[in-house]
Amino acid sequence: MALQPEELAGLGLELITSITPEDGIGSPLHPTSFTHLQTLGPFPAERRKEVEFAMAEGWNWLVREGLIAPNPGETSGWHFVTRRGKQLHNRAGVLAYASAVILPRGMLHPTTVQCSWSAFMRGEYDTAVFQAFRELEVAIRAAGGFSADDIGVSLAQKAFGDKGPLTDQSAPAGERVALLNMMSGALGSYKNPHSHRKVQLNAVDASEMIVMASHLMKIVDARRTG
């Protein structure tokens, strides 16, 4: 019950591919396969219904992501493992695929990909977030010509303050202050805590933070070349 739908889906796909012929024909693959008593095993009777619903969520995730599909011409509900499903074929493959969907690599700044992608895909979410914001800090320092002693919030304040080298003086005052607050707040909230202690994150929270770091990296790049 602690597993998410994609985790149950990965387990299910691993079991399916271990017994499915290469051509997928003749496999006992049906929506009821995931919720059948023989599949579920000896769960207590009072827990069995919630387990059935959880397994049904896993089945639905496989169908939604195109890892299994209805047999062509079938009207009885039988399914087969798709080409994508065969490529992923186990729990590790499914979880990597799910993480890639949550954090689209193509939209990230190249530096963010380089420093964070591998850690994120391994499930090391706190490390991935820390590295994304550490590289943001490094980029601000380099773009503004600051020393190694300039770090964190104070660095962002110097770089994007009224006289800061990365401040767009043509922008309205309110926008300049907003960007200053966003940069300093991001480093203070997301980089500093991860550098001092272990922070528990899930994939969704981590992906949102990494996307934010990537966006801010692009702003720094624009100010560097602008």
Side-chain angles (χ1 to χ4, degrees), residues 117-208:
W117 183 260
S118 294
F120 183 87
M121 295 304 288
R122 292 192 301 268
E124 298 170 2
Y125 301 128
D126 58 336
T127 299
V129 169
F130 168 71
Q131 292 180 165
F133 283 95
R134 182 185 62 189
E135 289 303 316
L136 173 63
E137 181 181 74
V138 169
I140 293 172
R141 188 181 300 117
F146 295 99
S147 73
D149 293 330
D150 293 307
I151 60 174
V153 173
S154 63
L155 169 65
Q157 290 172 338
K158 290 179 182 179
F160 292 93
D162 276 343
K163 305 295 184 180
L166 302 185
T167 300
D168 180 3
Q169 299 296 343
S170 66
E175 293 181 13
R176 297 198 301 268
V177 172
L179 182 58
L180 164 62
N181 290 338
M182 185 161 59
M183 288 287 183
S184 58
L187 291 180
S189 295
Y190 300 132
K191 185 263 181 183
N192 287 353
H194 291 81
S195 64
H196 299 311
R197 62 182 185 272
K198 287 283 188 181
V199 178
Q200 296 299 318
L201 293 174
N202 58 42
V204 173
D205 289 341
S207 67
E208 291 173 351

Coordinates of all heavy atoms in Angstrom, one line a residue, residues 117-208:
W117 N 20.8 15.7 -13.6 CA 20.0 14.6 -14.3 C 20.3 13.2 -13.7 O 19.4 12.5 -13.3 CB 20.2 14.6 -15.8 CG 19.3 13.6 -16.5 CD1 19.7 12.4 -17.0 CD2 18.0 13.8 -16.8 NE1 18.6 11.8 -17.6 CE2 17.5 12.6 -17.5 CE3 17.0 14.8 -16.6 CZ2 16.2 12.4 -17.9 CZ3 15.7 14.6 -17.0 CH2 15.3 13.4 -17.7
S118 N 21.6 12.9 -13.7 CA 21.9 11.5 -13.2 C 21.5 11.3 -11.8 O 20.9 10.2 -11.5 CB 23.4 11.3 -13.3 OG 23.8 11.3 -14.7
A119 N 21.7 12.2 -10.9 CA 21.3 12.1 -9.5 C 19.8 11.9 -9.4 O 19.2 11.1 -8.6 CB 21.8 13.2 -8.7
F120 N 19.0 12.7 -10.2 CA 17.6 12.6 -10.2 C 17.1 11.3 -10.6 O 16.2 10.7 -10.0 CB 17.0 13.7 -11.1 CG 15.5 13.8 -11.0 CD1 14.8 14.5 -10.1 CD2 14.7 13.0 -12.0 CE1 13.4 14.5 -10.0 CE2 13.3 13.1 -11.9 CZ 12.7 13.8 -11.0
M121 N 17.7 10.7 -11.7 CA 17.3 9.5 -12.2 C 17.6 8.3 -11.3 O 17.0 7.3 -11.3 CB 17.9 9.2 -13.6 CG 17.5 10.2 -14.7 SD 15.7 10.2 -14.9 CE 15.4 8.7 -15.7
R122 N 18.6 8.5 -10.4 CA 18.9 7.5 -9.4 C 18.1 7.6 -8.2 O 18.2 6.8 -7.2 CB 20.4 7.6 -9.0 CG 21.4 7.2 -10.1 CD 22.8 7.1 -9.5 NE 23.3 8.3 -8.8 CZ 24.0 9.2 -9.4 NH1 24.3 9.1 -10.7 NH2 24.4 10.3 -8.8
G123 N 17.2 8.6 -8.2 CA 16.3 8.9 -7.0 C 17.0 9.6 -5.9 O 16.5 9.7 -4.8
E124 N 18.2 10.2 -6.2 CA 18.9 11.1 -5.2 C 18.4 12.5 -5.3 O 19.1 13.4 -5.7 CB 20.4 10.9 -5.4 CG 20.9 9.5 -5.2 CD 22.3 9.4 -5.7 OE1 23.0 10.4 -6.1 OE2 22.8 8.2 -5.6
Y125 N 17.2 12.7 -4.9 CA 16.5 14.0 -5.2 C 17.1 15.2 -4.5 O 17.2 16.3 -5.0 CB 15.0 13.9 -4.9 CG 14.3 12.8 -5.6 CD1 13.6 11.8 -4.9 CD2 14.5 12.7 -7.0 CE1 12.9 10.8 -5.6 CE2 13.8 11.6 -7.7 CZ 13.1 10.7 -7.0 OH 12.5 9.7 -7.7
D126 N 17.5 15.0 -3.2 CA 18.1 16.1 -2.5 C 19.5 16.5 -3.1 O 19.8 17.7 -3.2 CB 18.3 15.8 -1.0 CG 19.2 14.5 -0.8 OD1 19.2 13.7 -1.7 OD2 19.8 14.4 0.3
T127 N 20.2 15.5 -3.5 CA 21.5 15.8 -4.2 C 21.3 16.5 -5.5 O 22.0 17.5 -5.9 CB 22.3 14.5 -4.5 OG1 22.6 13.9 -3.2 CG2 23.6 14.8 -5.2
A128 N 20.3 16.1 -6.3 CA 20.0 16.7 -7.6 C 19.6 18.2 -7.4 O 20.0 19.0 -8.2 CB 18.9 15.9 -8.3
V129 N 18.8 18.4 -6.4 CA 18.3 19.8 -6.2 C 19.5 20.7 -5.7 O 19.7 21.8 -6.2 CB 17.2 19.9 -5.1 CG1 16.9 21.3 -4.7 CG2 15.9 19.2 -5.7
F130 N 20.3 20.2 -4.8 CA 21.4 20.9 -4.3 C 22.4 21.3 -5.4 O 22.8 22.4 -5.6 CB 22.2 20.2 -3.2 CG 23.5 20.7 -2.9 CD1 23.6 21.9 -2.2 CD2 24.7 20.1 -3.3 CE1 24.9 22.5 -1.9 CE2 25.9 20.6 -3.0 CZ 26.0 21.8 -2.3
Q131 N 22.7 20.3 -6.3 CA 23.6 20.6 -7.4 C 23.1 21.5 -8.4 O 23.8 22.4 -9.0 CB 24.0 19.2 -8.0 CG 24.8 18.3 -7.1 CD 25.2 17.0 -7.7 OE1 26.1 16.3 -7.2 NE2 24.6 16.6 -8.8
A132 N 21.8 21.5 -8.6 CA 21.2 22.5 -9.6 C 21.3 23.9 -9.1 O 21.7 24.8 -9.8 CB 19.7 22.2 -9.8
F133 N 21.1 24.1 -7.8 CA 21.2 25.5 -7.2 C 22.6 25.9 -6.9 O 23.0 27.1 -7.0 CB 20.3 25.6 -6.0 CG 18.8 25.8 -6.4 CD1 18.0 24.6 -6.4 CD2 18.3 27.0 -6.7 CE1 16.7 24.8 -6.8 CE2 17.0 27.1 -7.1 CZ 16.2 26.0 -7.1
R134 N 23.5 24.9 -6.7 CA 24.9 25.2 -6.5 C 25.5 25.7 -7.9 O 26.2 26.7 -7.9 CB 25.7 24.0 -6.1 CG 27.2 24.3 -5.9 CD 28.0 23.0 -5.6 NE 27.9 22.1 -6.7 CZ 28.3 20.8 -6.6 NH1 28.8 20.3 -5.5 NH2 28.2 20.0 -7.7
E135 N 25.1 25.1 -9.0 CA 25.5 25.6 -10.3 C 24.9 26.9 -10.6 O 25.6 27.8 -11.3 CB 25.2 24.6 -11.3 CG 26.0 23.3 -11.3 CD 27.5 23.6 -11.4 OE1 27.9 24.4 -12.2 OE2 28.3 23.0 -10.6
L136 N 23.7 27.2 -10.1 CA 23.1 28.6 -10.3 C 24.0 29.6 -9.6 O 24.3 30.6 -10.1 CB 21.7 28.6 -9.8 CG 21.0 30.0 -9.7 CD1 20.9 30.5 -11.1 CD2 19.7 29.9 -9.1
E137 N 24.4 29.3 -8.3 CA 25.2 30.1 -7.6 C 26.6 30.4 -8.3 O 27.1 31.5 -8.4 CB 25.5 29.5 -6.2 CG 26.4 30.4 -5.3 CD 26.6 29.7 -3.9 OE1 27.4 28.8 -3.9 OE2 25.9 30.1 -2.9
V138 N 27.2 29.3 -8.8 CA 28.4 29.4 -9.5 C 28.3 30.3 -10.8 O 29.1 31.2 -11.1 CB 28.9 28.0 -10.0 CG1 30.1 28.1 -10.9 CG2 29.3 27.2 -8.7
A139 N 27.1 30.2 -11.5 CA 26.9 30.9 -12.7 C 26.7 32.4 -12.4 O 27.2 33.3 -13.1 CB 25.7 30.4 -13.4
I140 N 26.0 32.7 -11.3 CA 25.9 34.1 -10.8 C 27.2 34.7 -10.5 O 27.5 35.9 -10.9 CB 24.9 34.2 -9.6 CG1 23.5 33.8 -10.0 CG2 24.9 35.6 -9.0 CD1 22.5 33.7 -8.9
R141 N 28.0 34.0 -9.8 CA 29.4 34.5 -9.4 C 30.2 34.8 -10.6 O 30.9 35.8 -10.7 CB 30.0 33.4 -8.4 CG 31.3 34.0 -7.8 CD 32.0 32.9 -6.9 NE 31.1 32.5 -5.9 CZ 30.6 31.2 -5.7 NH1 30.9 30.3 -6.6 NH2 29.8 31.0 -4.7
A142 N 30.2 33.8 -11.5 CA 31.0 34.0 -12.7 C 30.5 35.2 -13.6 O 31.3 36.0 -14.1 CB 31.1 32.7 -13.6
A143 N 29.2 35.2 -13.8 CA 28.6 36.3 -14.6 C 28.9 37.7 -14.1 O 29.0 38.6 -14.8 CB 27.2 36.0 -14.8
G144 N 28.8 37.8 -12.7 CA 29.0 39.1 -12.1 C 30.4 39.4 -11.7 O 30.7 40.5 -11.3
G145 N 31.3 38.5 -11.9 CA 32.7 38.7 -11.6 C 33.0 38.8 -10.1 O 33.9 39.6 -9.7
F146 N 32.3 38.0 -9.3 CA 32.5 38.0 -7.9 C 33.5 37.0 -7.5 O 33.9 36.1 -8.2 CB 31.1 37.7 -7.2 CG 30.1 38.8 -7.4 CD1 29.1 38.6 -8.4 CD2 30.1 40.0 -6.7 CE1 28.1 39.6 -8.6 CE2 29.1 40.9 -6.9 CZ 28.2 40.7 -7.9
S147 N 33.9 37.1 -6.2 CA 35.0 36.2 -5.7 C 34.3 35.0 -5.1 O 33.1 34.9 -4.9 CB 35.8 37.0 -4.6 OG 35.0 37.1 -3.4
A148 N 35.2 34.0 -4.8 CA 34.7 32.8 -4.2 C 34.1 33.0 -2.8 O 33.3 32.1 -2.3 CB 35.8 31.8 -4.1
D149 N 34.4 34.1 -2.2 CA 33.8 34.4 -0.8 C 32.4 34.8 -0.9 O 31.7 34.9 0.1 CB 34.7 35.4 -0.1 CG 36.1 34.9 0.2 OD1 36.2 33.7 0.4 OD2 37.0 35.8 0.3
D150 N 31.9 35.2 -2.1 CA 30.5 35.7 -2.3 C 29.7 34.5 -2.5 O 29.8 33.8 -3.5 CB 30.4 36.7 -3.4 CG 31.2 38.0 -3.2 OD1 30.9 38.6 -2.1 OD2 32.0 38.4 -4.0
I151 N 28.7 34.2 -1.6 CA 27.9 33.0 -1.7 C 26.5 33.3 -1.3 O 26.2 34.3 -0.7 CB 28.5 31.9 -0.8 CG1 28.4 32.3 0.7 CG2 29.8 31.4 -1.2 CD1 28.8 31.2 1.7
G152 N 25.6 32.4 -1.7 CA 24.2 32.4 -1.3 C 23.4 33.7 -1.5 O 23.5 34.4 -2.5
V153 N 22.6 34.0 -0.5 CA 21.7 35.2 -0.6 C 22.5 36.5 -0.8 O 22.1 37.3 -1.6 CB 20.8 35.2 0.7 CG1 20.0 36.5 0.7 CG2 19.9 34.0 0.8
S154 N 23.6 36.7 -0.1 CA 24.3 37.9 -0.2 C 24.9 38.1 -1.6 O 24.9 39.2 -2.2 CB 25.4 38.0 0.8 OG 26.4 36.9 0.6
L155 N 25.3 37.0 -2.2 CA 25.7 37.0 -3.6 C 24.6 37.5 -4.5 O 24.8 38.4 -5.4 CB 26.2 35.6 -4.0 CG 26.5 35.4 -5.5 CD1 27.7 36.3 -6.0 CD2 26.8 34.0 -5.8
A156 N 23.4 36.9 -4.4 CA 22.3 37.3 -5.2 C 22.0 38.8 -5.0 O 21.6 39.5 -6.0 CB 21.1 36.4 -4.9
Q157 N 22.0 39.2 -3.8 CA 21.7 40.6 -3.5 C 22.7 41.6 -4.2 O 22.4 42.6 -4.7 CB 21.7 40.8 -2.0 CG 20.5 40.2 -1.4 CD 20.5 40.2 0.2 OE1 21.6 40.4 0.8 NE2 19.4 40.0 0.8
K158 N 24.0 41.2 -4.2 CA 25.0 42.0 -4.8 C 24.8 42.0 -6.3 O 25.0 43.0 -7.0 CB 26.4 41.5 -4.5 CG 26.8 41.7 -3.0 CD 28.2 41.2 -2.8 CE 28.7 41.4 -1.3 NZ 30.0 40.8 -1.1
A159 N 24.5 40.8 -6.9 CA 24.5 40.7 -8.3 C 23.2 41.4 -8.9 O 23.3 41.9 -10.0 CB 24.5 39.2 -8.7
F160 N 22.1 41.3 -8.2 CA 20.8 41.8 -8.7 C 20.3 43.0 -8.0 O 19.1 43.4 -8.2 CB 19.8 40.6 -8.7 CG 20.1 39.5 -9.7 CD1 20.8 38.4 -9.3 CD2 19.7 39.6 -11.1 CE1 21.2 37.4 -10.2 CE2 20.1 38.6 -12.0 CZ 20.8 37.5 -11.6
G161 N 21.1 43.6 -7.1 CA 20.6 44.8 -6.4 C 20.7 46.0 -7.3 O 21.0 45.9 -8.5
D162 N 20.4 47.2 -6.8 CA 20.3 48.4 -7.6 C 21.5 48.6 -8.4 O 21.4 49.0 -9.6 CB 20.0 49.6 -6.7 CG 18.5 49.8 -6.4 OD1 17.7 49.2 -7.1 OD2 18.2 50.5 -5.4
K163 N 22.7 48.4 -7.9 CA 23.9 48.7 -8.6 C 24.6 47.4 -9.1 O 25.7 47.4 -9.5 CB 24.9 49.4 -7.7 CG 24.4 50.7 -7.1 CD 24.1 51.7 -8.1 CE 23.7 53.0 -7.5 NZ 23.4 54.1 -8.4
G164 N 23.8 46.3 -9.0 CA 24.4 45.0 -9.4 C 24.7 44.8 -10.8 O 24.0 45.3 -11.7
P165 N 25.8 44.1 -11.2 CA 26.2 44.0 -12.6 C 25.2 43.1 -13.4 O 25.2 43.2 -14.6 CB 27.5 43.3 -12.5 CG 27.5 42.6 -11.1 CD 26.7 43.5 -10.3
L166 N 24.3 42.4 -12.8 CA 23.4 41.6 -13.5 C 22.0 42.2 -13.5 O 21.0 41.6 -14.0 CB 23.3 40.2 -13.0 CG 24.6 39.4 -12.9 CD1 24.4 37.9 -12.5 CD2 25.3 39.4 -14.3
T167 N 21.9 43.4 -13.0 CA 20.6 44.1 -12.9 C 20.3 44.8 -14.3 O 21.1 45.5 -14.8 CB 20.6 45.1 -11.8 OG1 20.8 44.5 -10.6 CG2 19.2 45.9 -11.8
D168 N 19.1 44.6 -14.8 CA 18.7 45.2 -16.0 C 18.1 46.6 -15.6 O 17.0 46.7 -15.1 CB 17.6 44.4 -16.7 CG 17.1 45.0 -18.0 OD1 17.6 46.1 -18.4 OD2 16.2 44.5 -18.6
Q169 N 18.9 47.6 -15.8 CA 18.5 49.0 -15.3 C 17.4 49.5 -16.1 O 16.7 50.5 -15.7 CB 19.7 49.9 -15.4 CG 20.9 49.5 -14.5 CD 20.6 49.5 -13.0 OE1 19.6 50.2 -12.6 NE2 21.4 48.9 -12.2
S170 N 17.1 48.9 -17.3 CA 16.0 49.4 -18.1 C 14.6 48.9 -17.7 O 13.6 49.4 -18.1 CB 16.2 49.1 -19.6 OG 16.2 47.7 -19.8
A171 N 14.7 47.9 -16.8 CA 13.4 47.3 -16.4 C 12.8 48.1 -15.3 O 13.5 48.9 -14.6 CB 13.7 45.9 -15.8
P172 N 11.5 48.1 -15.1 CA 10.8 48.9 -14.1 C 11.3 48.5 -12.7 O 11.8 47.3 -12.5 CB 9.3 48.5 -14.2 CG 9.2 48.1 -15.7 CD 10.5 47.4 -16.0
A173 N 11.3 49.4 -11.8 CA 11.9 49.2 -10.4 C 11.3 47.9 -9.8 O 12.0 47.1 -9.1 CB 11.7 50.4 -9.6
G174 N 10.0 47.8 -9.9 CA 9.3 46.7 -9.3 C 9.7 45.3 -9.8 O 9.9 44.4 -9.0
E175 N 10.0 45.3 -11.1 CA 10.5 44.0 -11.7 C 11.9 43.7 -11.3 O 12.3 42.5 -11.0 CB 10.4 44.1 -13.2 CG 9.0 44.1 -13.8 CD 8.9 44.2 -15.3 OE1 10.0 44.0 -15.9 OE2 7.9 44.5 -15.8
R176 N 12.7 44.8 -11.1 CA 14.1 44.5 -10.6 C 14.1 44.0 -9.2 O 14.8 43.0 -8.9 CB 14.9 45.8 -10.7 CG 15.1 46.4 -12.1 CD 16.2 47.4 -12.1 NE 16.0 48.6 -11.2 CZ 15.5 49.7 -11.5 NH1 14.9 49.9 -12.7 NH2 15.4 50.7 -10.6
V177 N 13.2 44.5 -8.4 CA 13.1 44.0 -7.0 C 12.6 42.6 -7.0 O 13.1 41.7 -6.2 CB 12.2 45.0 -6.2 CG1 12.0 44.3 -4.8 CG2 12.9 46.3 -6.0
A178 N 11.6 42.3 -7.8 CA 11.0 41.0 -7.9 C 12.1 39.9 -8.3 O 12.1 38.8 -7.7 CB 9.9 41.0 -8.8
L179 N 12.9 40.2 -9.3 CA 13.9 39.3 -9.7 C 15.0 39.1 -8.6 O 15.4 38.0 -8.4 CB 14.6 39.7 -11.0 CG 15.6 38.8 -11.6 CD1 15.0 37.4 -11.8 CD2 16.2 39.4 -12.9
L180 N 15.3 40.2 -8.0 CA 16.3 40.1 -6.8 C 15.8 39.2 -5.8 O 16.5 38.3 -5.3 CB 16.5 41.5 -6.3 CG 17.2 41.6 -4.9 CD1 18.6 41.0 -4.9 CD2 17.2 43.0 -4.4
N181 N 14.5 39.4 -5.4 CA 13.9 38.5 -4.4 C 13.8 37.1 -4.8 O 14.0 36.2 -4.0 CB 12.5 39.1 -4.0 CG 12.5 40.4 -3.3 OD1 13.5 40.7 -2.7 ND2 11.4 41.1 -3.3
M182 N 13.5 36.9 -6.1 CA 13.4 35.5 -6.6 C 14.7 34.8 -6.6 O 14.9 33.6 -6.1 CB 12.8 35.5 -8.0 CG 12.6 34.1 -8.6 SD 11.4 34.1 -10.0 CE 12.3 35.1 -11.1
M183 N 15.8 35.5 -7.0 CA 17.1 34.9 -7.0 C 17.6 34.6 -5.6 O 18.1 33.5 -5.3 CB 18.1 35.8 -7.7 CG 18.0 35.8 -9.2 SD 18.5 34.3 -10.0 CE 18.3 34.7 -11.8
S184 N 17.5 35.6 -4.7 CA 18.0 35.4 -3.4 C 17.1 34.4 -2.6 O 17.7 33.6 -1.8 CB 18.1 36.7 -2.6 OG 16.8 37.4 -2.6
G185 N 15.8 34.4 -2.8 CA 15.0 33.5 -2.2 C 15.2 32.0 -2.6 O 15.2 31.1 -1.8
A186 N 15.5 31.9 -3.9 CA 15.8 30.5 -4.4 C 17.0 29.9 -3.8 O 17.0 28.8 -3.4 CB 15.9 30.6 -6.0
L187 N 18.1 30.7 -3.7 CA 19.3 30.2 -3.1 C 19.2 30.0 -1.6 O 19.7 29.0 -1.1 CB 20.5 31.2 -3.4 CG 21.0 31.3 -4.8 CD1 22.1 32.3 -4.9 CD2 21.4 30.0 -5.4
G188 N 18.4 30.9 -1.0 CA 18.2 30.8 0.5 C 17.3 29.6 0.8 O 17.6 28.9 1.8
S189 N 16.3 29.3 0.0 CA 15.3 28.3 0.3 C 15.7 26.9 -0.2 O 15.4 25.9 0.4 CB 14.0 28.7 -0.3 OG 13.5 29.9 0.3
Y190 N 16.4 26.9 -1.4 CA 16.6 25.6 -2.0 C 18.1 25.1 -2.0 O 18.3 23.9 -2.0 CB 16.0 25.6 -3.4 CG 14.6 25.9 -3.5 CD1 14.1 26.8 -4.3 CD2 13.7 25.2 -2.6 CE1 12.7 27.1 -4.4 CE2 12.3 25.5 -2.6 CZ 11.8 26.4 -3.5 OH 10.5 26.7 -3.5
K191 N 19.0 26.1 -2.1 CA 20.4 25.7 -2.1 C 20.9 25.5 -0.7 O 21.5 24.5 -0.3 CB 21.2 26.7 -2.9 CG 22.7 26.3 -3.0 CD 23.6 27.0 -2.0 CE 25.0 26.6 -2.2 NZ 25.9 27.3 -1.1
N192 N 20.7 26.5 0.2 CA 21.3 26.5 1.5 C 20.9 25.4 2.4 O 21.7 24.7 3.0 CB 21.0 27.9 2.2 CG 21.9 29.0 1.6 OD1 22.7 28.8 0.8 ND2 21.6 30.2 2.1
P193 N 19.6 25.1 2.5 CA 19.2 23.9 3.4 C 19.8 22.6 2.9 O 20.2 21.8 3.7 CB 17.7 23.9 3.2 CG 17.3 25.3 2.9 CD 18.4 25.8 2.0
H194 N 19.9 22.4 1.6 CA 20.4 21.1 1.1 C 21.9 21.0 1.3 O 22.5 19.9 1.2 CB 20.1 21.0 -0.4 CG 18.6 20.7 -0.7 ND1 17.7 21.8 -0.7 CD2 17.9 19.6 -0.8 CE1 16.5 21.3 -0.9 NE2 16.6 20.0 -1.0
S195 N 22.6 22.1 1.5 CA 24.1 22.1 1.7 C 24.4 21.9 3.2 O 25.5 21.6 3.5 CB 24.7 23.4 1.3 OG 24.2 24.5 2.0
H196 N 23.4 22.0 4.1 CA 23.7 21.9 5.5 C 23.1 20.6 6.2 O 23.5 20.2 7.2 CB 23.1 23.1 6.3 CG 23.7 24.4 5.8 ND1 25.0 24.6 5.7 CD2 23.1 25.6 5.4 CE1 25.3 25.8 5.3 NE2 24.1 26.4 5.1
R197 N 22.1 20.0 5.5 CA 21.4 18.9 6.2 C 20.7 18.0 5.1 O 20.5 18.5 4.0 CB 20.4 19.3 7.2 CG 19.2 20.2 6.6 CD 18.3 20.6 7.7 NE 17.1 21.3 7.2 CZ 17.1 22.6 7.0 NH1 18.1 23.4 7.2 NH2 16.0 23.2 6.5
K198 N 20.3 16.8 5.5 CA 19.5 16.0 4.6 C 18.1 16.5 4.5 O 17.5 16.8 5.5 CB 19.5 14.6 5.1 CG 20.8 13.8 5.0 CD 21.0 13.4 3.5 CE 22.2 12.5 3.4 NZ 22.4 12.0 2.0
V199 N 17.6 16.7 3.3 CA 16.2 17.1 3.1 C 15.5 16.1 2.3 O 15.9 15.6 1.3 CB 16.2 18.5 2.3 CG1 14.8 18.9 2.1 CG2 17.0 19.5 3.1
Q200 N 14.4 15.6 2.9 CA 13.6 14.6 2.3 C 12.7 15.2 1.2 O 11.9 16.1 1.4 CB 12.7 13.8 3.3 CG 13.5 13.1 4.3 CD 14.4 12.0 3.7 OE1 13.9 11.3 2.8 NE2 15.6 11.9 4.2
L201 N 12.8 14.7 0.0 CA 12.1 15.2 -1.2 C 11.5 14.0 -2.0 O 12.1 12.9 -2.0 CB 13.0 16.0 -2.1 CG 13.5 17.3 -1.6 CD1 14.5 17.9 -2.7 CD2 12.4 18.3 -1.3
N202 N 10.3 14.2 -2.6 CA 9.9 13.3 -3.5 C 10.2 13.7 -5.0 O 10.7 14.8 -5.2 CB 8.3 13.0 -3.4 CG 7.5 14.3 -3.5 OD1 7.8 15.1 -4.4 ND2 6.5 14.5 -2.7
A203 N 9.9 12.9 -5.9 CA 10.3 13.2 -7.3 C 9.6 14.5 -7.8 O 10.2 15.3 -8.6 CB 10.0 12.0 -8.2
V204 N 8.3 14.7 -7.5 CA 7.6 15.8 -8.0 C 8.2 17.1 -7.5 O 8.4 18.1 -8.2 CB 6.1 15.7 -7.7 CG1 5.4 17.0 -8.1 CG2 5.5 14.5 -8.4
D205 N 8.4 17.2 -6.1 CA 8.9 18.4 -5.5 C 10.3 18.7 -6.1 O 10.6 19.8 -6.4 CB 9.0 18.2 -4.0 CG 7.6 18.2 -3.3 OD1 6.7 18.7 -4.0 OD2 7.5 17.7 -2.2
A206 N 11.1 17.6 -6.2 CA 12.5 17.8 -6.7 C 12.5 18.4 -8.1 O 13.2 19.2 -8.5 CB 13.3 16.5 -6.6
S207 N 11.6 17.8 -9.0 CA 11.5 18.2 -10.4 C 11.1 19.7 -10.5 O 11.7 20.4 -11.3 CB 10.6 17.3 -11.2 OG 9.2 17.5 -10.7
E208 N 10.2 20.1 -9.6 CA 9.7 21.5 -9.7 C 10.9 22.4 -9.3 O 11.1 23.5 -9.9 CB 8.6 21.7 -8.7 CG 7.3 21.0 -9.2 CD 6.2 21.1 -8.2 OE1 6.4 21.5 -7.1 OE2 5.0 20.7 -8.6

